[in-house]
Amino acid sequence: MKTFAATIATMIASIASAQDYDITWESQGHFKLRYPAFPYLGSYEDSDSFLLMSYFSAQWHGGVYVVPNVADAVQSGDASNLKEHDVGEKFQWPNAIEVVPWDVFGERAIHVPDGFLVPGKTNGGVYVLRMDAEDVTEVTEKVQISPSKDGFFYHMGFWVDMNGDGRKDFITARADAHEGDGELVWFEHPEGGLDVSPWVEHVVTKGPDVGIEIDYFDNYPGEVVVFAAEFFNQKVSIHRVSLTDGSLVESRVVDDTTILDAYSIALVDLNQDGQLELMVNNHETDDSTNGIWAYTVPADNDLMNGEFTKMTIATDF
């Protein structure tokens, strides 16, 4: 479950266009990155904190920046000496990159969901960058774990053991920019790990296409719950998925009338009252219909039958 601030940062990061942007801390200096897209602040088990930033452009290839020494810059109040390092691997349109949890491979790695609906960028994939054991900016190998599927692209994903074999698999959504074609899918982590490419894919259900969030609930034991912002289907949906074999248990639509082009989704506690909300934004160009909203999660976590009440956080962008 993400913090509110981190989720908002991820939502607004996707508006970056093809130009230089300041990455700024007020009163703490600034530095510039070219074509910034999705930010991620993290570390490895044996490293200091660093900033990851995917970048993309309609006229250029995409890639990944690593910015070390972020903690030192914040503590000193001077970010002007921060320097991005392009890892040197080219992508079509890399989206929500993140550090792979250490317990997945037992080594430093970054996952990169790739591709978008822009012409020439639609043949995406899911990649893992194996990183040097000493240098956080150096890639040792780029591995594609997703089988190639023409016209489909990926925005984000999570590491979950989907079939109970003790190895964490990668669950994600993919789209081809057509209504009804989106798929919730997971790639099975083989015994050979990153020495095997690609991994076996398992399609869970049609529908999810862009933004997803996952969580676990006591009243759904042995399952992972996937919340989906279905952009091309204009809906918010929920999917219970078995952790025994990775199959679909049950699905439900939360909103298919008012959300329109749903984009990012996150499960958060907005007012720190212990009650979760489902926060969703859409990607509408009309300022009368765009915004960020929250749906109250039923108090008893009855996700399949309980009522989700929609509240406005901000609109009229």
Side-chain angles (χ1 to χ4, degrees), residues 14-301:
S14 62
I15 67 171
S17 60
Q19 57 183 304
D20 288 349
Y21 272 78
D22 281 350
I23 305 300
T24 304
W25 290 291
E26 284 190 27
S27 304
Q28 293 180 318
H30 62 90
F31 68 105
K32 289 187 176 183
L33 291 175
R34 192 182 190 199
Y35 308 132
F38 286 81
Y40 175 85
L41 183 65
S43 65
Y44 303 116
E45 285 199 346
D46 56 352
S47 79
D48 295 330
S49 296
F50 52 82
L51 177 69
L52 291 178
M53 183 74 73
S54 62
Y55 67 84
F56 48 65
S57 167
Q59 296 81 29
W60 201 41
H61 68 263
V64 174
Y65 295 126
V66 180
V67 184
N69 306 317
V70 171
D72 291 343
V74 173
Q75 291 169 7
S76 68
D78 182 7
S80 61
N81 291 323
L82 288 177
K83 175 64 177 176
E84 80 278 8
H85 297 262
D86 192 320
V87 302
E89 297 291 344
K90 295 181 179 180
F91 297 92
Q92 298 286 342
W93 194 278
N95 295 301
I97 57 177
E98 293 192 16
V99 165
V100 178
W102 189 265
D103 62 359
V104 178
F105 302 117
E107 63 179 276
R108 295 179 173 188
I110 297 167
H111 70 246
V112 184
D114 189 32
F116 196 46
L117 53 75
V118 176
K121 311 290 186 178
T122 58
N123 291 334
V126 176
Y127 300 86
V128 174
L129 300 179
R130 304 178 88 164
M131 305 301 291
D132 185 81
E134 301 295 333
D135 187 345
V136 298
T137 69
E138 183 176 339
V139 175
T140 61
E141 186 180 10
K142 175 184 176 183
V143 180
Q144 182 174 346
I145 64 172
S146 62
S148 297
K149 188 174 177 67
D150 288 350
F152 280 80
F153 46 89
Y154 303 80
H155 270 77
M156 60 194 62
F158 300 88
W159 294 94
V160 180
D161 184 355
M162 299 298 300
N163 55 2
D165 65 0
R167 296 186 295 272
K168 288 189 174 181
D169 313 290
F170 193 77
I171 183 168
T172 183
R174 63 187 177 196
D176 67 351
H178 293 96
E179 181 181 354
D181 284 356
E183 295 177 324
L184 182 64
V185 61
W186 59 278
F187 304 121
E188 185 176 349
H189 187 163
E191 289 187 17
L194 293 175
D195 292 331
V196 177
S197 176
W199 293 1
V200 174
E201 72 171 44
H202 302 268
V203 176
V204 178
T205 186
K206 288 280 191 178
D209 51 22
V210 175
I212 63 170
E213 171 75 294
I214 68 166
D215 213 326
Y216 306 87
F217 294 83
D218 291 341
N219 52 327
Y220 302 117
E223 299 175 8
V224 62
V225 177
V226 180
F227 302 88
E230 300 184 25
F231 177 86
F232 298 101
N233 299 326
Q234 295 194 326
K235 67 176 64 173
V236 176
S237 60
I238 303 175
H239 309 271
R240 293 167 49 199
V241 184
S242 168
L243 293 178
T244 299
D245 59 7
S247 63
L248 180 69
V249 177
E250 187 177 6
S251 294
R252 181 210 174 154
V253 173
V254 174
D255 183 356
D256 61 357
T257 58
T258 69
I259 191 59
L260 303 180
D261 293 328
Y263 191 72
S264 294
I265 188 166
L267 197 62
V268 295
D269 182 354
L270 288 175
N271 54 7
Q272 302 300 303
D273 64 353
Q275 179 62 36
L276 295 175
E277 289 84 26
L278 194 60
M279 187 165 66
V280 184
N281 79 327
N282 67 15
H283 203 297
E284 293 289 308
T285 57
D286 187 339
D287 58 9
S288 67
T289 57
N290 63 32
I292 303 174
W293 295 271
Y295 299 82
T296 59
V297 174
D300 57 359
N301 290 332

